[in-house]
Amino acid sequence: MTFSIISIGYNLPVNTSKVYAAEKQHIAKQGETIWDIAKQYGVPIQQLKKVNDNENNVVIPGETFIIPTSISNSDKELLSRLVHAEAKGEPYEGKVAVAAVVLNRVHDDAFPDTISEVIYQDNQFSPVDDGSIKQPADEDSKKAVNEALAIQGYTYDQLYFYNPSISSSKWMRTLHVTKIIGGHHFAI
């Protein structure tokens, strides 16, 4: 099925079999990749490729990409604040991994189904208990959330993290640690 749609300020690609609602569009620049675009907007790579019927990962300069909404702005902001509070002073990779833990929990049957429910689940994240989650996120934390969203399904399968130098949880120490980044241990 082919659609030709004309709309003021919004162009859908011609010859697409589906029509997607999009809040944004992106004009590809020379040297950009699917990864660059996904990371910039915080959209899972697979979702970006699907919406734009891009199976071969090729980005042509001047090509218009539809940028689908992956999570709400309020969820992105909440997750960024959690990352900032949990991983302040940690390497950037650790900030991405903290965001990925929350996203992994949303998709795991053992945890709640939304970002806010995961973050506010009782006794899960100390910044919720001590109120530091209310502090604004820095730019690195916001970028880390976008990157974690972009790589969903490709890496970071951990569901837990803790800092052994400050955590008193004996249960956390029984988990299988698969990665150590900075002061955090990430586990499944």
Side-chain angles (χ1 to χ4, degrees), residues 77-78 81-82 84-85 120 126-137:
E77 193 258 333
L78 176 62
R81 288 193 336 253
L82 178 75
H84 177 74
Y120 288 114
S126 59
V128 171
D129 297 334
D130 68 20
S132 60
I133 194 167
K134 295 176 183 172
Q135 298 300 314

Side-chain angles (χ1 to χ4, degrees), residues 22-40:
E23 294 179 3
K24 300 175 186 167
Q25 57 184 356
H26 176 85
I27 309 296
K29 297 170 195 70
Q30 182 69 38
E32 272 188 321
T33 64
I34 292 283
W35 162 243
D36 295 327
I37 297 167
K39 190 169 60 167
Q40 179 180 344

